[in-house]
Amino acid sequence: MSESFIKNIPVQEYDVVIVGAGLAGTSAAMDIQKAGKKVAVISKLHPLRSHSGAAQGGINAALSAEDSPDLHAFDTVKGSDYLADQNAVEFMCQKAPETVRWIANCGAVFSRSSDGHIAMRPFGGATKPRACYAKDRTGLALLQTVYEQAIAAGVRFFSEWYVSDLIYKDGVTRGVVAFDLLGLNYTIFNAKAVMFATGGYARAYKVTTNAHANTGDGLSIVARHGLPLEDMEFVQFHPTGLAGRGILISEAARGEGGRLYNSEGERFMEKYAPESKELAPRDIISRCIAMEIREGRGVGPKKDAVEIRLMHLGERLIMTRLPELRDLAITFLGQDMIVEPVYISPTAHYSMGGIPCDIEGHVKKDSRGTIVTGLYAAGECACVSVHGANRLGCNSLLDALVFGRHTAETIINDLNNGTLILHKVTAEDADAAIGEVEGILHSKGEESVPVLRDRLRESMTENAGVFRTEESLLKEREILAELSERYRHIHIDDKNRVYNTDLEEAIELGHMLDYARFIVEGAIARKESRGAHFRYDYPERDDKNFLKHSYMFMHSDGTIKIEYGDVHIGKFKPKKRIY
Amino acid sequence: MEKKRITFKVFRFNPAVDDLPHYESYVMEVKKDALVLDILNRIKWEFDGSFTYRRSCRHGICGSCSIRVNGKVVLSCKENVFELTDIFGDLLVLEPQNKQKVIKDMVIDRVDFWNKYTEVKPFLVAKYDEHPEVEARVSPDEASLMLDSDICIQCANCYSVCPSVRVNEKYYGPAAFVKAYRFIVDTRDHNKKERIDIINEPEKGVWDCVKCYKCAEVCPKGVNPIEKITLLHNQVFKEGRAKNNVATRHAIGFKKSIQKNGFLDEGFLVRYSEGIFGTMKHLREAFDMFRRGKIKMPWNMPSKPKKMNEIKQLIKVASKIECRRKW
């Protein structure tokens, strides 16, 4: 690393810096800007390319007379296998109706019922139809709307800028170090408050619905400063990914009446969940599909998929409510759902775990809930926890929007009441980040990033996927240790500073290797089955020992220590989940 | 699964090391279900890590990954390779969406595109409650006026093939007009007047569209931008905001010519829309057009079609269809 980088590094000062420009980050930025604070949003993509836009099915809100926020909360808690914090769930479900109306009034183009109200459809694990939708591209509608309103408010975006480190010293948050992809010029963003809204971490799996960008960078950045990550072992596998590709076929397909069949033509969900069948929650359906495949009743050339049939819904319904899904199945598998079944199998989809936060969006530094001054998180990267061990469909957009905006409110209050001040940075604060980036840029090892990444993602799908055992997880622990060691000897082909995505992918792999260990360690220690975490060797839920959140800390020597924290139980006492 | 060997000739330019762009060839066995994005990934991951392109969602919703294959603009995550070889054969040439704006390999500078997006004020202007008890109602009929303009993913395919954008840097281009249209038909919006002014501006506005339909052809989401541009033309007249200028006279002259002759009299159209002095500027083109038979002398005019009444009736009906749309 040359000296000049450090001396000349520019510093920009803000009240608030937000990392990530999806639904949570952008909606927060809009509110903070409107409150008259100086805010910058830094995103490695153009904001409209964020993965919030890929959400398909809808956003939950108890808008109808027959429904209530209480019922919504109950479904969410039951869906979470009772691991969600009920105070947070109640808050989210209470806020849901006004939040959905608000985003609609801001311009979001929802599908409408004949009387002009926002249309709603049934979704898995929900006792009433409460998924408000915009055809099958709800995320796109919402992301566009918050971005539009954010630029109307005058929010400053740094698009295609990569945040490589958090400046956190002596228990105080000071800002972030970032560089522009275009020219690899470093800048320190010195801020009173930093909010992470960096999205999920399912990219660590080979078969996933996630975008290339969803490498969970924010989580590792936080963890490398000795701060904990919570409930990382809970990764949601969506039951209906296009076979082989993992591309998402929204739960809306089942919400509208899609049915699952095995190779024997049996509608197998009837035997596993006689009451709700295809509308059971995702963790349950994913396991059922995996079980059918495991027992030899799969379809397709490798018999590694099952069928979803939508033919009975008719062309008109499919074209008006599920046009995007039809298009996807045709593009990727050449299967037209109007006339034939589509092959699907479970795919890594959503991260229930993440950066521990309280309801207000403050990042917590331990299982007792001590907060980190000046650091906030919201959206999929955060763990509040409203999803517990398994998220319900259409609660993710809700989570991002409710907690994105609520965290903004917290930040504005914290700024106004003087809790937050600007802790000046020095050029040395960027040393570690620049050292890491320049080190990779000039690396001369023999290991290849794509090779290590493939190995990581394949082995995670194999060993830490829908079904887990002590044996598979210990094996994965070994593999991750080996990959982390090999990662120290990587090289990259591109040594230049202009738009270097080779460098970006290498940095991202470092993050993935770090947080993957949290997933595996959390899964090894959790000797029970709950929600999305299913252990063959411990197939039952164990409330006595594990009705607890796991908080995991990475030490400087790379070992991970786990402590457990209480779950906030409210009016819904843990019961066996029957659907 | 069926496989075949395909040669990819790939545009490469890295400003840090190259003075000029060049092409490199990569040969690989490709499976029948491969998409163009799979190929971009394989080039980067198996051949040369410095190969650079934008991508994210990998299923046609984020709009990052458009490039050109043998000149055809495609959203690479939605384009099947075998379907392209059916058209172009087993040598596929991969190039950036716009070679004039290359930053590196497939990555182009999109500043102009995003600036134009912002210039059409792409946000709802309405007074809304921060904690609403009720939502603004929108009937399904009103919602259907959007005509899918709300699903544009800003991939810029239309923008990159638009001939008017190429010759006139100021022209907003199809994607921006789709955005403008999306808000003009939104019954909740309070900014219609200003929006019409924006798209009605000379040079920048809708009047520079040459109706080539390329934007509709290349849209990966079926948004059909020219349909929206045409509706915006109509809207400008309907709102009484059309100014007497070349562009609007061109539109009116077009109709008049058909009404009068049953066919398009190009000479008349130029005289009508540009006036005598304006026409003088085009003498050179006029001469060329005359030589090629596009302009005819009055005595050589083809005779009117036999069923003039039917043509007049069609014009009448077409004018009514526009009126029936609820704006």
Side-chain angles (χ1 to χ4, degrees):
Chain A
M1 149 187 26
S2 72
E3 285 289 316
S4 63
F5 283 127
I6 295 179
K7 274 188 207 140
N8 297 331
I9 184 165
V11 178
Q12 297 196 27
E13 289 181 5
Y14 288 91
D15 291 322
V16 188
V17 164
I18 297 175
V19 187
L23 200 54
T26 303
S27 61
M30 171 189 64
D31 284 351
I32 292 168
Q33 178 80 23
K34 281 184 182 168
K37 310 296 177 194
K38 194 178 173 198
V39 58
V41 182
I42 310 174
S43 169
K44 61 182 182 178
L45 302 170
H46 185 282
L48 288 174
R49 316 296 191 205
S50 304
H51 203 55
S52 302
Q56 297 170 344
I59 175 168
N60 281 331
L63 292 179
S64 68
E66 68 194 79
D67 200 1
S68 72
D70 224 30
L71 211 48
H72 182 185
F74 171 71
D75 289 342
T76 302
V77 170
K78 184 180 172 191
S80 80
D81 222 345
Y82 294 91
L83 191 69
D85 288 310
Q86 295 188 19
N87 51 348
V89 173
E90 264 174 48
F91 175 80
M92 178 177 81
C93 298
Q94 283 294 342
K95 278 271 183 189
E98 74 164 60
T99 302
V100 169
R101 290 184 189 120
W102 172 84
I103 191 84
N105 292 356
C106 285
V109 182
F110 280 100
S111 296
R112 298 282 171 162
S113 62
S114 53
D115 58 357
H117 287 297
I118 294 169
M120 288 179 285
R121 61 162 63 116
F123 240 70
T127 43
K128 304 281 177 200
R130 69 171 74 93
C132 307
Y133 62 95
K135 293 192 177 172
D136 53 356
R137 38 201 175 218
T138 316
L140 183 70
L142 302 193
L143 179 67
Q144 283 181 353
T145 305
V146 293
Y147 178 67
E148 289 159 6
Q149 293 298 318
I151 55 173
V155 172
R156 179 134 195 235
F157 287 94
F158 289 81
S159 295
E160 302 193 334
W161 276 66
Y162 190 90
V163 169
S164 57
D165 199 9
L166 170 73
I167 305 178
Y168 172 75
K169 272 199 315 201
D170 316 321
V172 176
T173 310
R174 292 160 199 264
V176 298
V177 185
F179 61 83
D180 63 326
L181 265 173
L182 194 60
L184 189 45
N185 304 296
Y186 300 100
T187 297
I188 294 181
F189 291 79
N190 191 184
K192 295 175 189 167
V194 173
M195 174 177 168
F196 271 46
T198 55
Y201 53 83
R203 194 73 202 161
Y205 289 82
K206 181 182 176 215
V207 180
T208 175
T209 61
N210 282 203
H212 284 284
N214 289 19
T215 49
D217 310 342
L219 291 113
S220 305
I221 288 175
V222 166
R224 285 174 188 177
H225 285 277
L227 294 168
L229 298 179
E230 182 182 351
D231 291 346
M232 291 289 287
E233 59 272 34
F234 296 103
V235 178
Q236 178 166 77
F237 296 88
H238 195 292
T240 56
L242 289 175
R245 288 276 188 175
I247 299 283
L248 178 64
I249 288 297
S250 168
E251 194 166 317
R254 280 172 290 132
E256 296 291 355
R259 296 168 188 164
L260 302 173
Y261 290 86
N262 62 20
S263 61
E264 289 164 13
E266 178 193 14
R267 190 177 169 195
F268 57 86
M269 282 315 295
E270 285 175 336
K271 69 184 174 209
Y272 297 107
E275 193 71 25
S276 44
K277 302 185 189 80
E278 283 85 1
L279 286 178
R282 291 174 180 173
D283 56 331
I284 294 175
I285 298 191
S286 283
R287 274 195 293 280
C288 299
I289 294 174
M291 197 72 88
E292 291 294 312
I293 293 170
R294 208 173 247 248
E295 290 174 3
R297 293 187 293 274
V299 298
K302 292 185 198 155
K303 302 220 167 290
D304 58 354
V306 297
E307 290 180 356
I308 183 164
R309 296 189 192 168
L310 295 130
M311 297 89 82
H312 61 285
L313 300 178
E315 180 171 352
R316 206 184 125 84
L317 188 141
I318 289 173
M319 291 313 291
T320 50
R321 300 207 194 147
L322 309 169
E324 202 74 33
L325 298 189
R326 173 174 179 253
D327 201 29
L328 289 175
I330 292 173
T331 303
F332 289 95
L333 296 181
Q335 294 171 334
D336 183 351
M337 57 174 68
I338 292 174
V339 295
E340 61 193 322
V342 172
Y343 291 174
I344 52 99
S345 63
T347 170
H349 181 55
Y350 187 85
S351 320
M352 271 75 72
I355 303 166
C357 286
D358 66 8
I359 297 188
E360 317 303 331
H362 295 112
V363 170
K364 297 191 278 190
K365 66 169 88 168
D366 54 42
S367 56
R368 295 179 306 283
T370 321
I371 64 170
V372 181
T373 311
L375 188 58
Y376 305 80
E380 193 174 341
C381 75
C383 180
V384 181
S385 147
V386 283
H387 308 303
N390 173 58
R391 173 175 72 74
L392 287 192
C394 299
N395 268 350
S396 57
L397 288 175
L398 181 63
D399 170 13
L401 201 51
V402 166
F403 288 101
R405 298 193 71 211
H406 186 60
T407 303
E409 201 181 322
T410 305
I411 293 173
I412 295 163
N413 287 338
D414 289 353
L415 285 168
N416 286 343
N417 66 26
T419 315
L420 301 175
I421 51 164
L422 191 75
H423 295 272
K424 289 275 180 189
V425 293
T426 61
E428 287 75 48
D429 289 332
D431 277 359
I434 296 176
E436 183 201 341
V437 177
E438 296 292 320
I440 294 174
L441 186 64
H442 298 114
S443 59
K444 294 195 178 70
E446 61 289 338
E447 296 287 356
S448 127
V449 171
V451 169
L452 298 188
R453 187 176 50 210
D454 282 354
R455 176 88 175 115
L456 164 73
R457 299 177 62 212
E458 271 162 26
S459 62
M460 285 295 284
T461 294
E462 174 80 24
N463 298 322
V466 180
F467 295 119
R468 302 161 173 184
T469 62
E470 175 112 8
E471 194 194 343
S472 75
L473 291 165
L474 290 176
K475 192 168 149 201
E476 189 58 24
R477 176 194 268 169
E478 294 295 312
I479 292 170
L480 292 180
E482 176 212 316
L483 291 176
S484 296
E485 175 54 32
R486 287 171 67 187
Y487 179 75
R488 294 171 55 213
H489 307 286
I490 53 164
H491 72 275
I492 58 172
D493 293 343
D494 196 342
K495 304 288 185 196
N496 299 295
R497 306 189 78 85
V498 181
Y499 217 99
N500 192 336
T501 52
D502 208 18
L503 172 69
E504 190 190 358
E505 288 188 9
I507 299 171
E508 288 168 344
L509 175 62
H511 291 309
M512 290 158 81
L513 285 168
D514 276 358
Y515 70 68
R517 288 165 49 222
F518 285 78
I519 302 174
V520 171
E521 293 304 323
I524 291 173
R526 191 172 281 276
K527 297 186 191 320
E528 64 156 353
S529 290
R530 180 185 298 274
H533 170 68
F534 189 88
R535 291 273 305 251
Y536 256 128
D537 38 359
Y538 300 95
E540 296 301 320
R541 193 173 83 191
D542 176 1
D543 285 344
K544 191 158 154 267
N545 293 308
F546 289 106
L547 183 54
K548 287 190 166 68
H549 295 297
S550 46
Y551 291 79
M552 292 175 266
F553 301 78
M554 184 167 65
H555 289 274
S556 47
D557 64 358
T559 55
I560 287 173
K561 187 191 84 183
I562 305 183
E563 53 182 64
Y564 288 95
D566 292 337
V567 176
H568 192 287
I569 306 287
K571 55 182 143 186
F572 310 119
K573 303 295 171 234
K575 279 193 241 165
K576 195 169 161 59
R577 284 162 88 212
I578 298 166
Y579 284 97
Chain B
M1 189 180 291
E2 198 187 326
K3 271 186 184 181
K4 68 176 162 185
R5 235 173 136 72
I6 300 174
T7 305
F8 297 93
K9 194 177 147 195
V10 183
F11 178 96
R12 301 296 310 266
F13 177 66
N14 180 349
V17 291
D18 299 328
D19 292 330
L20 287 171
H22 58 283
Y23 287 82
E24 258 169 57
S25 290
Y26 306 92
V27 183
M28 50 186 120
E29 289 283 322
V30 178
K31 278 197 205 153
K32 196 178 170 205
D33 66 348
L35 304 170
V36 174
L37 181 60
D38 296 326
I39 303 302
L40 300 182
N41 289 336
R42 284 184 62 188
I43 294 171
K44 187 174 185 68
W45 298 339
E46 294 171 20
F47 293 86
D48 179 0
S50 77
F51 178 60
T52 307
Y53 50 99
R54 289 189 175 101
R55 83 286 179 270
S56 188
C57 77
R58 73 206 172 89
H59 64 274
I61 204 76
C62 83
S64 302
C65 65
S66 276
I67 64 160
R68 282 179 190 259
V69 181
N70 296 48
K72 178 178 156 62
V73 283
V74 299
L75 190 63
S76 61
C77 67
K78 282 197 75 186
E79 199 73 20
N80 180 280
V81 177
F82 273 40
E83 282 173 22
L84 288 167
T85 55
D86 286 347
I87 308 172
F88 299 116
D90 291 350
L91 172 69
L92 295 180
V93 184
L94 311 186
E95 291 169 323
Q97 212 182 27
N98 183 343
K99 278 192 267 185
Q100 272 80 49
K101 293 189 186 291
V102 173
I103 293 172
K104 182 178 179 181
D105 297 340
M106 301 294 134
V107 175
I108 63 166
D109 184 354
R110 286 202 191 283
V111 169
D112 56 331
F113 177 77
W114 288 119
N115 283 346
K116 289 169 182 176
Y117 165 89
T118 316
E119 279 176 54
V120 300
K121 308 222 163 163
F123 41 80
L124 192 80
V125 177
K127 278 210 166 64
Y128 51 81
D129 190 355
E130 280 297 311
H131 305 281
E133 302 268 320
V134 288
E135 80 249 26
R137 295 234 207 147
V138 181
S139 74
D141 273 354
E142 288 167 334
S144 71
L145 286 179
M146 291 278 167
L147 298 172
D148 279 348
S149 58
D150 55 316
I151 63 160
C152 168
I153 55 171
Q154 311 298 333
C155 70
N157 271 4
C158 56
Y159 185 78
S160 72
V161 298
C162 175
S164 296
V165 170
R166 202 173 312 153
V167 297
N168 172 9
E169 283 185 343
K170 292 180 185 157
Y171 183 60
Y172 289 134
F177 293 131
V178 168
K179 211 27 131 180
Y181 172 88
R182 177 245 172 279
F183 286 102
I184 287 174
V185 296
D186 195 320
T187 51
R188 302 164 296 183
D189 189 70
H190 292 169
N191 202 31
K192 194 164 165 181
K193 269 214 159 91
E194 192 193 354
R195 295 189 191 286
I196 300 275
D197 285 343
I198 291 172
I199 57 107
N200 191 25
E201 265 182 89
E203 290 191 283
K204 294 179 171 184
V206 283
W207 301 108
D208 275 31
C209 170
V210 296
K211 307 252 176 208
C212 68
Y213 280 79
K214 277 191 177 167
C215 55
E217 242 171 62
V218 299
C219 178
K221 306 302 279 184
V223 169
N224 195 359
I226 188 165
E227 173 193 38
K228 280 72 185 172
I229 293 172
T230 307
L231 289 167
L232 289 173
H233 286 145
N234 295 344
Q235 183 70 356
V236 172
F237 281 112
K238 190 149 182 286
E239 295 281 312
R241 308 289 284 288
K243 292 179 191 132
N244 187 354
N245 59 25
V246 179
T248 53
R249 282 196 302 271
H250 186 90
I252 295 168
F254 212 100
K255 188 171 159 186
K256 275 189 190 284
S257 171
I258 306 277
Q259 225 158 11
K260 189 177 155 206
N261 306 317
F263 56 84
L264 185 63
D265 176 355
E266 307 244 9
F268 162 80
L269 187 60
V270 176
R271 287 197 307 279
Y272 186 89
S273 48
E274 306 221 20
I276 299 293
F277 287 110
T279 308
M280 304 287 263
K281 280 191 303 191
H282 297 295
L283 278 180
R284 217 195 129 92
E285 289 99 320
F287 182 69
D288 282 347
M289 285 171 83
F290 177 71
R291 248 187 4 177
R292 290 183 166 79
K294 286 280 271 182
I295 295 179
K296 297 210 174 356
M297 287 297 150
W299 54 88
N300 276 340
M301 280 287 175
S303 51
K304 286 186 187 182
K306 283 180 200 139
K307 298 186 174 172
M308 251 336 262
N309 278 345
E310 210 169 291
I311 289 174
K312 285 186 179 164
Q313 195 60 31
L314 275 172
I315 292 173
K316 222 171 164 181
V317 172
S319 309
K320 267 191 193 151
I321 288 172
E322 182 244 316
C323 296
R324 236 188 281 141
R325 281 187 186 281
K326 278 183 270 173
W327 285 84

